[in-house]
Amino acid sequence: MLKKIPINNVLFKDTDEVGLDELTAERINADVDLLGNIINSPGLQRFVTLTLGGGDIQGLYYWQPKDLVIAVSGGRIYKITRTGTVTDITGADIKLLPKNRVSFASDKDYLFMANGGRIVFYADFFVHLYNDIHHPAVTNLDVDGALSEIRVNDILGDHVLWYPSDSAPSHVSHLAIINKVLVCNNVGSDLLSYSEVNVLTKIDAGNFFTAESNTDGVVALFSTRNELIIVGTKSIEFWETGTDIPFIRVGGQDIARGTNSPHTCKIINNTLYMIDNERRLARVVRNIQDRDISIPALSMSKELDSFSEIQNLIADHVIVDGKNYYVLTSPVDEKTYVFDLNKNEWVSRWAYWDEGIGQWKRWRGNFYLHVPEWDAHLVGDCANGNIYKMTTKVNTEDAHFVRRILVRTGHISWGTYNDKQSNILTMKLKMDADRITAKNSKLSLRWRDNNGEWENERVIDLGSVGKHEFIREEYALGMYRTRQYELEYYGDARLMVCGIEEDFQVLEN
């Protein structure tokens, strides 16, 4: 009898592995393409290193009018050019808070940042105000809008400044710009403050409005489709700009669900994704909440419920190799899970293997940024100050070999608990044409029967350099009632596992 080994089925984490049959128990650093092939996750190639920060990259933002990436690490702020030139623009004693994720907002003149404390801001003309007042970057400014409220004596060079308005909030975690107005939350309250129109550096004491649905604090704030999305711990509201009054709540659109994990909120294609206050991945589109109730979405409920310190969960919208992912990390639990937005299911766990302690830990990525103008997918590291380019052209992380593609099945019974004699296991594999060396590549197969101990691994020959598509067969695999298979790849080239087929015989007990 011939059967396909179910290595490409739904990743299911809501029960003990022994209770699974044809669902996938584990999939690490891998995904399933639309045809069911197992493919490994992309590699990370170092771009720049921020040497003076705190190690973890707290924020990345592309400021399109200036063609700059702004990065934050350890509260320090840097600007990065497309060629990789890094300039520290932190300034004397003007830093963001360490560790907290950073919210950004910008127009053509200013870039604003906040992550729980005071707002800081930056303009590339600051350096010219100090040493060349006649520079075009200064003379071409809209003076009323760009220079209002700035204390020019504070500008001593190319660095960030504190937000100048004395009445501006001092505890801000989220920023947004809508119709030439800067809007921010006030941490721990339901008040939102806003600037003067076209004078983003000025917030008067009376410029505020209040989220109205619940008395929950505003924990996240976004602008999309010319609206504000205001997220609290118990509710979501939609607001738009008015004429006689600055902001008007869109009536009848409130959603009675919020989040305790504000940094899991991501706007993707005008849709809000977040881990909600029931610890479920939720999709929100203007009064339509599409909570996934299919098996793929519910398959992660138990795992989400187990996460510690949910207020510290983080998420990124990652675009790579034509796929859109919602990548969720629990820094405390050292786990990262990937939701495929195209397939509408959890598909993998991204991780790196810590040789020192012999354990899988969270993905290196702490912040992701897509810069189409640079044709770059940037990933900020969680610990070492590195900013990488994510790419499918390398299978390493910062030139280090990593374990790629680990797939573990459930305990397969093929519909009967009778003994089975396994005769042949046939695998169809494909290696990328630009593979480097055979000696760095290793594919191992192991299994365990009837929930017993794992057998010793079998190392599968991947062939000589230059051979890229091949069939491999393994014989004399013994007898079992239920069997769990595990396949793991370690190498310097991309591998595709197209399928595994077992030839077995059901015996009379």
Side-chain angles (χ1 to χ4, degrees), residues 308-379:
S308 309
E309 300 182 21
I310 60 170
Q311 70 276 11
N312 293 324
L313 299 185
I314 59 176
D316 284 291
H317 174 210
V318 175
I319 308 167
V320 64
D321 205 21
K323 301 177 77 67
N324 282 268
Y325 298 115
Y326 178 87
V327 180
L328 176 69
T329 296
S330 172
V332 175
D333 300 288
E334 292 280 3
K335 290 182 178 180
T336 300
Y337 284 102
V338 179
F339 187 84
D340 188 323
L341 296 170
N342 303 96
K343 297 179 66 176
N344 195 40
E345 65 180 69
W346 297 97
V347 293
S348 184
R349 179 180 169 192
W350 285 357
Y352 79 94
W353 180 256
D354 189 323
E355 296 284 355
I357 61 175
Q359 291 181 4
W360 290 103
K361 303 190 78 172
R362 59 165 288 187
W363 182 47
R364 301 293 318 178
N366 203 55
F367 210 104
Y368 168 89
L369 173 67
H370 181 209
V371 186
E373 291 83 350
W374 296 6
D375 190 26
H377 302 264
L378 302 182
V379 174

Side-chain angles (χ1 to χ4, degrees), residues 176-218:
I177 291 177
I178 180 171
N179 288 343
K180 299 182 180 181
V181 175
L182 177 68
V183 185
C184 67
N185 69 331
N186 292 258
V187 174
S189 81
D190 55 2
L191 295 179
L192 295 107
S193 301
Y194 58 91
S195 73
E196 296 294 316
V197 177
N198 206 33
V199 187
L200 277 62
T201 54
K202 183 179 181 181
I203 295 179
D204 289 333
N207 288 9
F208 69 89
F209 63 101
T210 305
E212 301 174 354
S213 290
N214 280 293
T215 56
D216 52 343
V218 175

Side-chain angles (χ1 to χ4, degrees), residues 139 238 267:
T139 58
F238 298 86
I267 301 295

Side-chain angles (χ1 to χ4, degrees), residues 21 411-420 480-482 509:
D21 194 326
H411 293 255
I412 302 166
S413 66
W414 302 127
T416 176
Y417 295 126
N418 280 11
D419 285 323
K420 272 80 67 175
Y480 63 91
R481 290 176 181 263
T482 68
N509 284 356

Side-chain angles (χ1 to χ4, degrees), residues 483-494:
R483 172 167 290 183
Q484 186 173 30
Y485 284 105
E486 184 178 87
L487 190 71
E488 184 174 9
Y489 169 64
Y490 174 100
D492 57 4
R494 288 178 63 78

Side-chain angles (χ1 to χ4, degrees), residues 124-187:
D124 67 343
F125 63 79
F126 284 171
V127 65
H128 303 300
L129 284 177
Y130 175 63
N131 60 25
D132 185 7
I133 195 69
H134 300 295
H135 191 280
V138 178
T139 58
N140 293 336
L141 289 174
D142 176 354
V143 175
D144 291 338
L147 297 180
S148 176
E149 297 293 304
I150 296 179
R151 293 179 284 267
V152 178
N153 289 337
D154 292 340
I155 302 174
L156 303 177
D158 191 24
H159 59 74
V160 299
L161 299 178
W162 292 123
Y163 193 83
S165 291
D166 293 334
S167 56
S170 57
H171 295 87
V172 176
S173 67
H174 283 74
L175 302 167
I177 291 177
I178 180 171
N179 288 343
K180 299 182 180 181
V181 175
L182 177 68
V183 185
C184 67
N185 69 331
N186 292 258
V187 174

Side-chain angles (χ1 to χ4, degrees), residues 61 103-107 110-113 175-177 182:
Y61 183 81
S103 176
F104 300 87
S106 67
D107 67 0
Y110 291 132
L111 172 73
F112 301 90
M113 295 161 274
L175 302 167
I177 291 177
L182 177 68

Side-chain angles (χ1 to χ4, degrees), residues 464-480:
S464 59
V465 175
K467 188 174 183 180
H468 310 301
E469 185 173 345
F470 43 91
I471 299 292
R472 286 291 178 268
E473 293 180 336
E474 294 294 320
Y475 298 88
L477 304 175
M479 295 174 53
Y480 63 91

